[in-house]
Amino acid sequence: MRSDSVTKGMQQAPHRSLFNALGLTEEELSRPLVGIVSSYNEIVPGHMNLDKIVNAVKQGVAMAGGTPIVFPAIAVCDGIAMGHIGMKYSLVTRDLICDSTECMALAHAFDALVMVPNCDKNVPGLLMAAARVNIPTVFVSGGPMLAGHVKGRKRSLSSMFEAVGSYSAGTMTEEDVREFENKVCPTCGSCSGMYTANSMNCLTEAIGMGLQGNGTIPAVYSERIKLAKHAGMKVMELLEKNIRPRDIMNEKAFMNALTVDMALGCSTNTMLHIPAIAHEAGVELNVDIANEISKRTPNLCHLAPAGPTYMEDLNEAGGVYAVMKELTKKDLLYTDLITATGKTVGENIENAVNRNPEVIRPLENPYSQTGGLAILKGNLAPDSGVVKRSAVVPEMMKHQGPARVFDCEEDAIAAIKGGKIVAGDVVVIRYEGPKGGPGMREMLNPTSAIAGMGLGASVALITDGRFSGASRGASIGHVSPEAAVGGPIALVEEGDIISIDIDNCTLDVLVSDEEMAKRRAAWQPREPKVTTGYLARYAKLVTSGNRGAILEYK
């Protein structure tokens, strides 16, 4: 065992003296040391219950003969960070989480790990760490929030942001907004729609790193505690069988994850995280493959913000395994891959049942024959842009309109709420990419303002930044190359006609090549917005959105 290097032999007597200081017994040091990576904190609603999950994991590890030892991982609440400087610090934490977990796991010679994440960058950051460290690992998240209930309808955080837009438009009173404020987030857990956190937790099941129900069992259900105990027990089985993350997360497993992503209609942020996780696993994944997978993968779920159902409904309908079972009707998944259950994908989903065909559409009756996400290309996005196709209204699948150009999110929000954006416009927000932001802020405030102002079916938004999983509408993000490195989005001028064709996966500005060349010759790089601290270092190392915004040290 790896822990022998700190627990066995005379040379390790100094190490053991420090374990003695921790109160560990000889019996505990004779067992495998299992690191429990706890993302518990008191600022993120999805993490306030993780102390209970961690304690349950510890019990499971101990019951199965291991010695559980807890260490922390940070997490940012994207909702609280939204719309101010805090959002610059969201995506960037993914790499801090990965790096710090690597440091802790390898410095202390753990034999295995159980990752206990929940929210947006926390899950992919720990998946990246699992692939990098490559010791037996299981994931168990904190679980999704239950939906809120406002005026007889289920609601979630996206409803809250849109309510603010409705208030600006004069269609909702302050009292109405206050009711939303008090009711849309009724429990702990990751926000209740198919936003980024829940998307990534569901994909832990699809990729094979989480046990059944990890993505969907609500945070407040006792079943979640039992799942955590089973995760603790299961990691000991993986250790005994020497099943490691890179055995599980191979190229075919990433194809499975992308396929389930398309069927579920997950957040566009998965197009940043899946390539980044694959990179750590030694698999180079070009996002272009997403369109190939989308062409053959029907979209089976319309969870909020795309539709009226929520994570609790998906859980009751049979969860991720039921979606995967539907996909096997057309042999859309690799079923012979080993997973963290110790069994293959096929064995895992063999007895899965779709209990609600209104929540999980049968393969014969999908919402669409193509997947929930689309990668767009054209002279405005030579490398790529991404859109959550399943959350776009039919009339905006093909759209042409004049560009309304803004060099930061704040200016765009002021224009939207000030009534300066009208039906048909294409809002362009640039210099918000990984380098230009820096940090690639989410644009939930402007997309929610557009929806709240009643423009969701007539106005598009394009950015080199990204979107919250709670965003809906013709919201095209990750436009690459970004403005800060001279991508075409930096050359767009007010009034240019932009053409969007989501079905044909194209994104173009209707300006001649000669005019674009003239603009490029006149373009000058902007001075960095941040010159000190972690964000400055991140901006120097980060790659573009189409590469997963990974850090490159060459």
Side-chain angles (χ1 to χ4, degrees), residues 298-350:
N299 178 225
L300 306 181
C301 298
H302 268 193
L303 287 94
T309 53
Y310 294 81
M311 295 306 297
E312 62 201 66
D313 302 310
L314 179 60
N315 187 63
E316 294 302 317
V320 176
Y321 277 17
V323 174
M324 295 174 73
K325 186 67 175 289
E326 289 288 347
L327 294 172
T328 60
K329 292 178 180 177
K330 286 178 63 177
D331 296 324
L332 293 174
L333 297 177
Y334 296 101
T335 57
D336 59 345
L337 308 180
I338 195 65
T339 71
T341 67
K343 300 177 181 178
T344 65
V345 171
E347 291 171 324
N348 286 343
I349 66 175
E350 184 177 4

Side-chain angles (χ1 to χ4, degrees), residues 74 91-101 534 537 551:
I74 65 168
L91 178 62
V92 304
T93 64
R94 187 184 71 181
D95 296 276
L96 283 175
I97 291 162
C98 176
D99 292 348
S100 60
T101 302
Y534 178 60
R537 186 164 76 250
L551 301 187

Side-chain angles (χ1 to χ4, degrees), residues 451-521:
M453 298 286 283
L455 298 170
S458 60
V459 169
L461 195 156
I462 296 172
T463 182
D464 53 7
R466 59 196 180 91
F467 295 108
S468 166
S471 292
R472 61 187 176 98
S475 303
I476 301 165
H478 312 185
V479 170
S480 303
E482 62 173 293
V485 299
I489 193 171
L491 310 179
V492 176
E493 295 183 358
E494 186 82 6
D496 286 348
I497 300 301
I498 292 178
S499 176
I500 301 165
D501 189 338
I502 295 173
D503 285 331
N504 290 307
C505 300
T506 60
L507 177 62
D508 294 288
V509 55
L510 302 185
V511 174
S512 69
D513 292 344
E514 293 78 13
E515 174 62 21
M516 289 296 277
K518 186 188 301 182
R519 295 180 187 180
R520 181 173 301 284

